Amino acid sequence: MGIAFANGVFIVAAFAGLSVLRAGSPWFTGIQLAGAAYLLYLGVLFMRHAGRGRLDVSASAAAGATTPGRGAWWQAAGMGFVSAALNPKNALFYASLAAMLAGPQATPGWKVFYGAWMFCAVLLWDLAVAVAIGNRAVLHRFARALPWLERASGAVLVLVGCLVLAVLVRAG
């Protein structure tokens, strides 16, 4: 939900015609810096803690019998929101898509339709991933590969964070 809501913020901003998130603007540069810092932070965490966590692959966990508390849900949604909100790719993607779809001929109704469609597409994708992870067989395979996935993901996040910083330094 958090990822979908952050994308919803970008969708509304793009269709509202806000230019503060255009490439090179101070706000966009700020989002890039914050995003790079967040990528580095997450990457280091992934690599430091790889293999320490254990997934519960029991039948009851895969079936959803153990439901996390409300606080855990909000924490996960908040983390999803922050990761999507600090992703400069989202801002560029939705701004360019809005520019293509919402030209001068697009009525406010069509803009609402396009925005709702984009929001729902992201939300449905995220829900499909969550359902797949809820499958016991998928979860079991995922649990076996998790330490290596965490290490590889951490390395990629650190690399991308460094690349974003390098591009910003080079452009500045």
Side-chain angles (χ1 to χ4, degrees):
M1 289 301 288
I3 293 169
F5 280 119
N7 283 319
V9 170
F10 282 125
I11 291 166
V12 169
F15 281 113
L18 297 178
S19 61
V20 295
L21 294 179
R22 295 198 190 273
S25 72
W27 280 100
F28 187 71
T29 301
I31 287 176
Q32 285 179 307
L33 285 171
Y38 190 61
L39 288 174
L40 291 170
Y41 169 74
L42 286 178
V44 169
L45 282 180
F46 266 103
M47 291 188 294
R48 280 183 63 202
H49 300 287
R52 291 187 188 171
R54 296 284 177 241
L55 291 178
D56 184 2
V57 294
S58 66
S60 61
T66 56
T67 6
R70 179 175 278 189
W73 186 91
W74 281 106
Q75 183 180 9
M79 189 174 205
F81 182 88
V82 169
S83 68
L86 293 179
N87 185 345
K89 173 191 64 76
N90 286 346
L92 285 177
F93 174 76
Y94 290 115
S96 61
L97 194 58
M100 286 187 334
L101 295 175
Q105 76 284 358
T107 64
W110 275 109
K111 290 180 183 180
V112 168
F113 172 78
Y114 289 142
W117 176 81
M118 286 183 226
F119 176 83
C120 289
V122 169
L123 180 59
L124 288 174
W125 171 257
D126 292 340
L127 291 173
V129 169
V131 167
I133 293 297
N135 179 296
R136 186 168 187 225
V138 171
L139 186 60
H140 188 66
R141 283 190 213 115
F142 186 75
R144 281 196 315 245
L146 188 58
W148 292 105
L149 289 171
E150 289 172 333
R151 287 181 190 99
S153 297
V156 168
L157 291 172
V158 168
L159 176 66
V160 171
C162 289
L163 289 172
V164 170
L165 290 175
V167 167
L168 288 172
V169 167
R170 190 172 171 197

